[in-house]
Amino acid sequence: MSASTSTGYLAGFACLIGRPNAGKSTLTNALVGQKVAITSSKPQTTRHTIRGIVTSETSQLVLVDTPGLHKPRTLLGQRLNDLVRETLLEVDVIGFCVPADQRIGPGDRFIAAELAELKRGKRTPVVALATKSDTVDRDRLAEHLIALDQLGDWADIVPCSATRGDQVDVVGRVLSGHLPPSPGPLYPDGQLTDEPEMVMIAELVREAALEGVRDELPHSLAVVVEEMVPREGRPDDKPLLDVRVNVFVERDSQKAIVIGRGGSRLREVGTNARTGIEALLGQRVHLDLHVKVAKDWQRDPKQLGRLGF
C-alpha cells in the first residue's frame, strides 16, 4: 500500500441499512468482491461485526453490520434500538438501500425519518442506493429515483445492481468519498477473510509457534482454541478475555522445541501471538498456551477429527 497522507488517503466505517430483503448483503459481497464476513472491532467502541473491507489505492471502506435493522417488528413497531442508533452514530457514512423493484413503503419512510433525525444531531452523510436496478425498466427506475429523492435529503443517490454488478464500483467510490482523511488503511491490505475468530486465533498462534522453526516442525503442529471467556469481575472499560489454546505436536522432541530452554520459546510465542490476537479482537487478552503430544495425530482419523481436520 503506497498511498500516504500527501495523496489524501481516506478511511473509515460505513453501514448499509434498509428494510428486509433490500439487497444489503448481496451489495456488501459485490463491493468486497467475494463472499466475506470478517469479524473485528473498532477500537474504544462497541464491538461491531465487520462484513467486509474494500481497500483501494486511495481509500479503505470498512462495512459494519447494523444489528436489529432487519427485523420488521423492530423496524416498524418500536423506535430503532439503542445499539443500532449507536452504530449509526459511530459510522462515517450510511448507505440506505431502497430496492427499485418495490414501491417505497412505510418501512422505508420509517428509516428515512430516523435518518433525518440522526442527521440533525450528527450530520452523518447518507447515500441513497436504489438497489436491484436490473429488475426494472428505465422508466420505472427513473420514477423510483424521483420518489427516492423526495424521501429525504441525501448526500448522493446511486442506482445499482449487485447481482449484475452494475454501478457497484460507483457505490464504493461514492461511499468512500464521504470518509474522513486517514494516514493510511485501518486494516492490513488484503484482509477480507470469512474465517471465524477461533480459526483466526488458532492461525495466529500457529504462525507464532512456527516462527524460526518451520523446518523442524513443518506440518506436525495443530492448534486448537479450547475456550474464550471474558474474565469475571473486570471493570466495563477494561475487559480481559481469557483464551486457552492447546498446541499439539506428534513427538516429545518436538514439544521440547516449541517450549524452548526454560520455557523461553513458549513465552515468546505467547507474546507474539497475543499481539496479533488483541489487534484482531480489539481488546486485551490473557493467552494461556499448553503444548501437548498427540502421537502421530496426522495418521489417526480419531485425533484428526478432534483437532478439527
Side-chain angles (χ1 to χ4, degrees):
M1 186 57 58
S2 55
S4 66
T5 25
S6 58
T7 54
Y9 201 85
L10 304 173
F13 294 78
C15 68
L16 298 180
I17 68 168
R19 56 192 164 89
N21 208 10
K24 300 180 291 287
S25 50
T26 323
L27 181 56
T28 300
N29 290 336
L31 280 166
V32 182
Q34 63 185 67
K35 267 201 160 45
V36 291
I38 150 165
T39 331
S40 191
S41 60
K42 183 178 171 183
Q44 289 85 52
T45 62
T46 337
R47 288 278 300 283
H48 296 309
T49 307
I50 292 185
R51 284 281 152 233
I53 301 176
V54 188
T55 307
S56 76
E57 284 293 304
T58 52
S59 66
Q60 187 177 68
L61 180 70
V62 182
L63 294 158
V64 298
D65 238 1
T66 41
L69 262 177
H70 22 257
K71 296 196 189 94
R73 264 178 319 119
T74 335
L75 214 54
L76 295 165
Q78 315 148 8
R79 306 286 289 158
L80 278 168
N81 63 33
D82 295 344
L83 188 55
V84 174
R85 252 169 205 278
E86 215 170 275
T87 303
L88 293 180
L89 283 166
E90 283 173 4
V91 295
D92 302 298
V93 59
I94 296 165
F96 177 24
C97 298
V98 187
D101 64 345
Q102 296 162 43
R103 305 261 165 210
I104 285 169
D108 302 312
R109 289 195 190 88
F110 174 80
I111 297 175
E114 287 287 342
L115 290 172
E117 201 174 300
L118 180 83
K119 274 175 72 174
R120 275 197 290 280
K122 197 184 171 256
R123 320 209 74 71
T124 305
V126 180
V127 176
L129 303 170
T131 54
K132 309 189 183 185
S133 65
D134 62 313
T135 57
V136 295
D137 61 29
R138 286 175 72 161
D139 294 349
R140 175 72 193 96
L141 184 59
E143 208 178 294
H144 183 70
L145 293 172
I146 291 164
L148 197 47
D149 186 34
Q150 291 166 350
L151 187 62
D153 176 22
W154 315 120
D156 289 284
I157 300 179
V158 186
C160 61
S161 160
T163 47
R164 215 168 61 187
D166 300 348
Q167 298 243 99
V168 171
D169 52 339
V170 178
V171 173
R173 268 206 307 281
V174 169
L175 290 174
S176 298
H178 292 289
L179 298 175
S182 170
L186 304 168
Y187 292 87
D189 189 16
Q191 182 169 15
L192 28 86
T193 155
D194 53 2
E195 299 286 350
E197 280 173 358
M198 296 279 234
V199 177
M200 291 172 85
I201 288 169
E203 251 333 284
L204 287 166
V205 172
R206 187 181 145 78
E207 213 172 76
L210 285 174
E211 195 57 54
V213 292
R214 215 168 275 278
D215 296 338
E216 295 151 272
L217 332 153
H219 301 296
S220 43
L221 199 70
V223 178
V224 177
V225 179
E226 284 292 303
E227 61 173 3
M228 289 164 63
V229 286
R231 175 83 55 95
E232 283 180 13
R234 297 279 297 191
D236 282 352
D237 57 342
K238 289 198 179 131
L240 181 69
L241 191 67
D242 282 313
V243 180
R244 235 185 103 86
V245 177
N246 288 331
V247 177
F248 291 96
V249 291
E250 292 188 282
R251 293 188 290 284
D252 287 317
S253 58
Q254 295 170 334
K255 182 175 175 177
I257 293 172
V258 177
I259 292 175
R261 181 165 299 157
S264 58
R265 191 133 200 297
L266 191 62
R267 278 196 296 278
E268 196 183 308
V269 170
T271 306
N272 294 344
R274 196 183 71 236
T275 309
I277 295 167
E278 290 183 337
L280 171 74
L281 300 178
Q283 65 155 296
R284 288 210 36 217
V285 164
H286 174 258
L287 184 59
D288 190 10
L289 279 183
H290 296 269
V291 185
K292 301 187 169 188
V293 176
K295 284 223 184 314
D296 297 328
W297 64 262
Q298 294 185 70
R299 288 187 287 284
D300 179 347
K302 250 223 295 285
Q303 299 215 57
L304 282 172
R306 238 197 32 242
L307 300 176
F309 289 95

